[in-house]
């Protein structure tokens, strides 16, 4: 599918949530390194670079994501999406099957408004709190 349309680059990289606050800093590095970069975005975006392709759709929809990759496999996936625990549990194996290297990257904002020290025992993800209190989807 898309892998057949654009070629000649050594590595195929997928950046999920790439237009966001953190992905926007990774994209220039990847494109300047001459990687074949695919970026998921909910909004329609056009690239002026030959090795940068925007994929418009919901990256949390695994069926959509699989349809975009055709028979290919990514050399690396950089994932900036926000998942709650159940969402991540449902999809991490499929994401690992799509790539040779998977990087999940987040910021302190994923932990919401908490006070005190963060640790594995006392940390709740912001998305889990939103699920409980706001009916977040």
């Amino acid at each position: 599918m898309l892998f057949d349309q654009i070629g000649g680059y050594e590595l195929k990289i997928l950046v999920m949530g790439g237009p966001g606050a953190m992905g926007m800093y990774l994209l220039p590095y990847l494109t300047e390194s001459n990687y074949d970069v695919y970026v998921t975005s909910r909004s329609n975006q056009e690239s002026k670079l030959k090795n940068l392709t925007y994929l418009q759709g919901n990256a949390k929809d695994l069926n959509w994501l699989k349809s975009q990759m055709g028979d290919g496999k990514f050399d690396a996936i950089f994932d900036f999406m926000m998942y709650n625990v159940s969402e991540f549990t449902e999809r991490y194996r499929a994401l690992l099957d799509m790539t040779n290297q998977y990087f999940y990257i987040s910021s302190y904002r994923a932990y919401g408004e908490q006070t005190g020290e963060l640790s594995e025992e006392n940390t709740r993800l912001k998305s889990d709190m939103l699920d409980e209190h706001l009916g977040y989807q």
Side-chain angles (χ1 to χ4, degrees), residues 6-134:
I6 300 173
Y9 298 96
E10 206 168 303
L11 295 176
K12 292 178 178 73
I13 310 293
L14 175 66
V15 182
M16 297 171 59
M22 294 189 330
M24 64 185 263
Y25 295 102
L26 178 62
L27 293 179
Y29 172 79
L30 295 174
T31 56
E32 289 168 11
S33 297
N34 285 326
Y35 298 138
D36 197 2
V37 181
Y38 297 84
V39 181
T40 65
S41 175
R42 286 184 177 243
S43 61
N44 185 25
Q45 307 226 10
E46 291 195 28
S47 171
K48 294 181 171 109
L49 301 173
K50 186 176 179 180
N51 62 328
L52 177 63
T53 303
Y54 286 97
L55 309 173
Q56 184 179 359
N58 182 357
K60 286 189 173 184
D61 180 345
L62 281 177
N63 291 326
W64 173 82
L65 195 57
K66 288 176 184 178
S67 75
Q68 298 302 304
M69 60 185 291
D71 295 329
K73 187 171 183 173
F74 295 101
D75 293 293
I77 294 176
F78 291 91
D79 188 349
F80 294 101
M81 303 297 290
M82 187 172 173
Y83 304 107
N84 63 35
V85 173
S86 63
E87 286 175 325
F88 190 75
T89 301
E90 290 172 0
R91 61 186 37 83
Y92 81 92
R93 289 190 197 279
L95 290 168
L96 291 174
D97 287 342
M98 294 179 191
T99 187
N100 297 323
Q101 296 182 65
Y102 176 78
F103 302 91
Y104 178 74
I105 304 165
S106 187
S107 72
Y108 75 93
R109 292 180 59 207
Y111 296 108
E113 303 215 9
Q114 297 188 31
T115 59
E117 184 176 319
L118 297 178
S119 73
E120 295 294 324
E121 291 80 31
N122 71 358
T123 302
R124 295 188 60 210
L125 296 176
K126 181 179 182 178
S127 58
D128 288 331
M129 290 183 273
L130 288 172
D131 285 349
E132 291 173 10
H133 300 290
L134 302 176

